[in-house]
Structures are given as C-alpha cells and as structure tokens.
Amino acid sequence: LTSYTYMSSFVRASKFRHVYCDPPRIDATIQNLRVSNVTGEHNYIKANPHYFAVGLQGGGGPLAIIPLKTVGKMKTDIPVFAGHSGPILDFDFNPFHDSLIATGSEDMTIKVWEIPENGLTTNISVPVQDLGGHARKVILLRFHPTASNVLGSVGGDQTIKVWDIEKGVALNTLSDACDQLIQDMVWDYTGKEYAFSCKDKAVRLVDARTATVSTKIENAHEGAKSMKMTYLGNHNKLLSVGFTRQSHRQFKIWDPRNTSTELEKFDIDQAAGVIMPFFDPDTSLLYLAGKGDGNVRFYEFVNEPPYFYPLSDFRSNVSAKGMAFVPKRGLNVMGCETARLLKLTNNSVEPLSFLVPRKADGFQEDLYPDTSSGEPSHTADQWFQGSELPPKLCSLNPAVKGSSGGASASSGSVEPSRVSFSAAKTPAVLMEELAKAQDRIKKLEDLLKAKGIPFD
C-alpha cells in the first residue's frame, strides 16, 4: 500500500474529523480589487488579526491595507502605502506589532511602514524605516517568530539577510550557499534556525545567528518546479511540498536531526500549481492550497507514523492566485471557527472559514489551546546573543483576558499587539535634520548680530 492509501484505509477518532468549510456568500467577499499582476515566489496576500495586505497595480509599488471585517466592492482609489520605485514582490506583518508591515521590492530595498491607529485614510509614501543591502530585487520577507523586530529577507542575488529593523542594520548575511533562485524561506518554531529551498532542488537548514548551513538535503523533490515548506510547530519536523519527476504534487516530512531520507512522503495529485502549506501548531492541522486551483486540502498531524491523516477538502472552481492564513487572535472563537484562509483571486478576496460543528454554546476549550499572544519572547539583541525561548502564549477564552500576558480573542475583535518600535534614523534623515539645525543657527546668529549682542 502507498502511504496515501494506508492513511485512508480506516477512520480514526478526532475532534477535527468533521471540520468543514462552506463556500463564502458573495456579500461576504471583497471585490473590485486591482490586484498587482507581478508574479513571484510569494503568496500575494498576508493577514494579521486586524488587516490583510495585498499589492495593487500602479506606481510606487502600492500596498493596500484592508480591515478583515471589510466586505463589498472596493473603490478604485483606496489609500495605499506607495514609496518604492519598483513593484513590491513580498510583504510581511510584524507578529508583535499589529501596525507594522515590511515590504520588499524590485528596487532592491525593504521598507517598514506603520499603519495609523484608524487604518489608512490617505496615501503614505514615507516609511518609518528604509533598509538597503541586497544587490538585486527583494523577493521574500519573513519576520522572526519569537524575537521582536527581527526580519529575514531573500534577495534575487541569492543572499539571505537577517535584520534588526529597529536599528536598521543587517545582523548577518548568507551569501555563498547556492547560486540559483531561492524559492522559499521559513523559520523554525523558536527561530533558532531557518530553512530555505532553492531551484537546485536542495533544502538547506541554516543557523540563524551565524548564517552557516548546518544541513543540506539534496534532491528533496525531483521535480523542477518550486518547493515550499513549513516547520511543524514544536514537533521538530519540517514539511516540504514539491513535485515528482512526473509532475505529481507531493509532500514529505523530514527530521532536521537526520535528513538522510524523509520520514514519510505522500502523493497528492497531478496538477501544475505550486502548493502553499499552512500549519496550525495549536491544533496540528495542515492546510494545503494550490496556486491556480481552487481546492484546499486539510490533514491532521500526529507525531508518529504515518504522521498525517486526511480530514477533508474544500473544492471550488474559482482558482486562487494566492492565500493567507489569519492568526488565531483574529478568529471568531465563539462560532467554533478554527481557521480562516483568505483566498486571493485576480480581483477579489474570499474568506474561507473552517468550522467544527458543536451543539453546545460557549467557548470550546478543547478546540482552542493557548496560542501565540502577539508578545515577543526576547529582544533582537537578546536573541542574537543566544537567548532560546519558545513563543509566548495566551488563552483565546474571552473570559480569561490577558491570562498569559497577551491579548485574548473574542467573537469579533482582539486587542492590538504593539511592542516598542523606534526606528534608527537613516543617514539621509540625519543629514536633513543637520541642515535644518545649521540653518536655524545661522538665522539666530544673524539676529544677534543685528541687535549688537556679542556671542561666542
């Protein structure tokens, strides 16, 4: 028996066995978006507990920031962040500051933007931080899972940089690990290491502080198309999604401590679209969504063979351009919503809510283990100096507000997460301030001279 048929040969007990997703009503979607036609390795849409972000057509690499509760047709002139000199290729929300988002562009820069307290009401072209260092376009951005204001970036120059965005400096650079296109980068559960996949079909594991490759998985998938990855929470496992030589889509599970062969592999189907994997570490559910098709498959992970059990799938004839996973603090926990994916099409966003049917009212404790609180476990300096801490967790029970020091989700809203962020001033800003100060000094000196008042 193949792994897939073995997985499907019996029914096992699981509280998520009946999880389902109904097609969204048209009045629950966001329409009339002028979605950017730039293509790349990114997912084209990202979300945090309050907003989702999507690149639009236009000059300056416009990025729209839209509240999750928004529905209906969007105006053509919605306010955006637009300060790049080329299209944006990826962006990522800061997990510890719900109002910060970073963008990477063809113009080789990374910019950090702050969302105003009431959202975007007008176009903003000046970022709070500007980072330069890549010699070619910036294609992927990934914030660190436990350290505040630490960002990983991937360039078209085959380099990966780890930044302290508050200080505006690169902590390290990986520059000689591969000579082909980097297709994905993911952090492990604590952020001690990251993995990246490359067009040479290899997956490399990297010590994030020293920027040294610790492990290389040759020929992780035999197909030539893009490989995507996700770590499986705190289970010390890595999942990769790719293609066979015959263009079948498949995923594999790896033990980072012994990568001589995969722990298990599963064939999915034969289709052309690259699969975007999303793993929920709280419930151990895996969601696989394909670019160019409308289906989402979901599986339950167990930390022993055969590792994954298929639950069901959501099918649609509307193809997805990209997909985003909404953090738990943004879900309707009182409605037994255990996950929400935002499906981006060529001109719309469809929310896909995954629900577990329950007859009882009230908060369902067994469906919602403690989740990421939106608070960092350590500062950038502490992490870089060797601090090893897991993510801080909080209860999602609305009746247990702040039990773990973080915000608690309710049926419709969460408290925003905000850690300290004070960007270091760029040389251009410092020079501008110096010029203004010197001009002010000259005016004061001229005034003293005119009044005959001596000064040193």
Side-chain angles (χ1 to χ4, degrees):
L1 291 177
T2 66
S3 299
Y4 189 86
T5 56
Y6 171 70
M7 283 169 39
S8 305
S9 61
F10 65 92
V11 177
R12 59 186 290 273
S14 169
K15 56 179 171 281
F16 298 106
R17 203 177 90 196
H18 300 294
V19 66
Y20 69 95
C21 176
D22 287 332
R25 303 186 317 273
I26 189 68
D27 60 359
T29 64
I30 299 96
Q31 304 159 39
N32 200 38
L33 286 170
R34 298 176 296 105
V35 178
S36 171
N37 52 16
V38 174
T39 59
E41 294 292 339
H42 55 302
N43 287 357
Y44 302 104
I45 181 171
K46 294 280 182 71
N48 75 5
H50 305 277
Y51 305 98
F52 72 85
V54 62
L56 302 181
Q57 299 174 22
L63 182 74
I65 307 293
I66 300 173
L68 291 180
K69 61 184 179 181
T70 303
V71 295
K73 287 190 175 181
M74 303 299 296
K75 297 179 180 179
T76 57
D77 59 347
I78 59 174
V80 294
F81 289 127
H84 287 282
S85 59
I88 55 172
L89 297 178
D90 199 16
F91 39 90
D92 203 25
F93 284 102
N94 188 326
F96 310 121
H97 195 309
D98 289 338
S99 295
L100 285 183
I101 188 168
T103 56
S105 169
E106 282 189 0
D107 66 10
M108 303 184 292
T109 69
I110 300 164
K111 299 184 188 298
V112 181
W113 309 86
E114 184 163 17
I115 305 166
E117 189 170 345
N118 296 318
L120 276 180
T121 57
T122 186
N123 290 352
I124 295 178
S125 59
V126 180
V128 296
Q129 184 63 282
D130 208 331
L131 307 172
H134 284 288
R136 295 186 65 185
K137 59 187 178 182
V138 180
I139 59 176
L140 294 171
L141 294 176
R142 301 285 186 269
F143 269 103
H144 195 279
T146 61
S148 61
N149 298 323
V150 174
L151 176 70
S153 66
V154 176
D157 52 0
Q158 290 86 49
T159 66
I160 298 177
K161 291 180 177 291
V162 175
W163 301 86
D164 180 335
I165 64 168
E166 191 169 14
K167 293 181 179 178
V169 297
L171 300 174
N172 60 52
T173 301
L174 179 73
S175 59
D176 55 358
C178 69
D179 58 3
Q180 297 188 48
L181 175 70
I182 296 174
Q183 299 168 331
D184 199 11
M185 174 203 175
V186 292
W187 294 96
D188 73 356
Y189 185 65
T190 63
K192 180 180 180 179
E193 72 176 17
Y194 61 80
F196 73 93
S197 58
C198 183
K199 196 174 181 180
D200 63 7
K201 304 180 184 180
V203 169
R204 295 166 176 85
L205 310 184
V206 181
D207 183 310
R209 296 184 182 90
T210 63
T212 55
V213 175
S214 58
T215 304
K216 181 179 179 181
I217 307 173
E218 298 277 8
N219 212 35
H221 292 272
E222 295 180 340
K225 293 184 179 179
S226 186
M227 272 190 289
K228 301 300 179 184
M229 302 171 296
T230 181
Y231 279 92
L232 301 178
N234 62 351
H235 298 292
N236 206 13
K237 302 288 189 298
L238 175 69
L239 180 137
S240 63
V241 187
F243 292 80
T244 68
R245 189 175 294 146
Q246 293 77 30
S247 294
H248 286 85
R249 298 194 290 192
Q250 66 175 188
F251 65 93
K252 295 181 179 182
I253 299 98
W254 306 89
D255 184 341
R257 297 161 296 187
N258 180 10
T259 58
S260 56
T261 185
E262 69 272 7
L263 294 174
E264 194 61 87
K265 64 180 177 181
F266 307 103
D267 289 339
I268 303 170
D269 60 12
Q270 188 166 16
V274 172
I275 285 184
M276 301 166 282
F278 302 94
F279 184 73
D280 181 352
D282 305 332
T283 61
S284 293
L285 296 188
L286 172 71
Y287 301 83
L288 300 180
K291 289 183 179 179
D293 65 61
N295 304 333
V296 180
R297 296 168 173 84
F298 32 109
Y299 305 78
E300 186 169 12
F301 170 78
V302 293
N303 200 20
E304 60 184 15
Y307 297 104
F308 280 100
Y309 293 92
L311 295 173
S312 186
D313 58 9
F314 168 80
R315 295 185 176 274
S316 169
N317 57 9
V318 179
S319 63
K321 178 181 176 70
M323 202 77 73
F325 198 71
V326 178
K328 283 292 180 65
R329 294 185 299 117
L331 302 187
N332 179 6
V333 299
M334 301 306 290
C336 294
E337 183 185 31
T338 56
R340 189 188 310 159
L341 291 173
L342 300 182
K343 175 182 173 181
L344 178 68
T345 73
N346 289 328
N347 58 8
S348 68
V349 173
E350 300 178 359
L352 305 179
S353 289
F354 294 82
L355 307 169
V356 174
R358 288 287 171 93
K359 293 181 180 179
D361 294 330
F363 181 74
Q364 305 294 308
E365 198 81 38
D366 61 320
L367 297 182
Y368 299 102
D370 287 357
T371 192
S372 176
S373 68
E375 282 191 319
S377 302
H378 32 213
T379 66
D381 286 341
Q382 289 168 341
W383 169 77
F384 195 62
Q385 290 165 9
S387 175
E388 289 288 345
L389 293 171
K392 283 189 177 181
L393 305 180
C394 71
S395 172
L396 287 170
N397 189 342
V400 191
K401 187 178 179 66
S403 61
S404 297
S408 296
S410 67
S411 60
S413 63
V414 296
E415 295 178 355
S417 168
R418 287 178 179 270
V419 298
S420 171
F421 182 83
S422 178
K425 295 179 179 179
T426 64
V429 172
L430 291 173
M431 290 298 293
E432 182 181 357
E433 290 182 352
L434 177 61
K436 288 180 179 178
Q438 290 173 334
D439 183 59
R440 175 67 174 163
I441 290 170
K442 185 177 185 306
K443 288 180 179 178
L444 291 172
E445 288 179 345
D446 290 344
L447 184 61
L448 292 172
K449 285 180 181 178
K451 293 182 177 293
I453 300 174
F455 62 90
D456 293 329

